[in-house]
Coordinates of all heavy atoms in Angstrom, one line a residue:
W14 N -16.8 27.1 -5.1 CA -18.2 27.6 -5.3 C -18.2 28.4 -6.5 O -17.8 29.6 -6.4 CB -18.9 28.3 -4.0 CG -20.2 28.6 -4.3 CD1 -21.3 27.8 -4.4 CD2 -20.7 30.1 -4.3 NE1 -22.5 28.6 -4.7 CE2 -22.0 29.9 -4.6 CE3 -20.1 31.2 -4.3 CZ2 -22.8 31.1 -4.8 CZ3 -21.0 32.4 -4.3 CH2 -22.2 32.3 -4.5
K258 N -15.4 52.9 4.5 CA -15.4 53.1 3.3 C -15.0 51.9 2.3 O -15.6 51.6 1.4 CB -14.2 54.1 2.9 CG -14.3 55.5 3.3 CD -13.2 56.4 2.9 CE -13.4 57.9 3.4 NZ -12.1 58.8 3.2
L259 N -14.4 51.0 2.9 CA -14.1 49.6 2.3 C -15.4 48.9 2.3 O -15.7 48.2 1.4 CB -12.9 48.9 3.0 CG -12.6 47.6 2.4 CD1 -12.0 47.9 0.9 CD2 -11.6 46.8 3.3
W277 N -19.9 37.7 17.0 CA -19.8 36.4 17.5 C -18.2 36.0 17.9 O -18.1 35.3 18.9 CB -20.2 35.4 16.5 CG -21.8 35.3 16.4 CD1 -22.7 36.0 17.2 CD2 -22.5 34.5 15.4 NE1 -23.8 35.6 16.9 CE2 -24.0 34.8 15.7 CE3 -22.2 33.7 14.4 CZ2 -25.0 34.2 15.1 CZ3 -23.2 33.0 13.7 CH2 -24.6 33.4 14.0
K328 N -22.4 29.1 24.5 CA -22.1 27.7 24.9 C -20.8 27.3 24.5 O -20.0 26.7 25.1 CB -23.2 26.9 24.2 CG -23.0 25.3 24.5 CD -24.0 24.6 23.7 CE -23.8 23.2 24.0 NZ -24.9 22.3 23.3
R331 N -18.1 29.0 26.9 CA -17.9 28.1 28.1 C -16.9 27.0 27.8 O -16.1 26.7 28.7 CB -19.3 27.7 28.6 CG -20.0 28.8 29.2 CD -21.1 28.2 30.3 NE -21.9 27.2 29.6 CZ -23.1 27.4 29.0 NH1 -23.5 28.7 28.9 NH2 -23.7 26.4 28.5

Side-chain angles (χ1 to χ4, degrees):
W14 180 63
K258 289 180 179 178
L259 183 65
W277 281 357
K328 182 178 179 180
R331 289 201 304 269

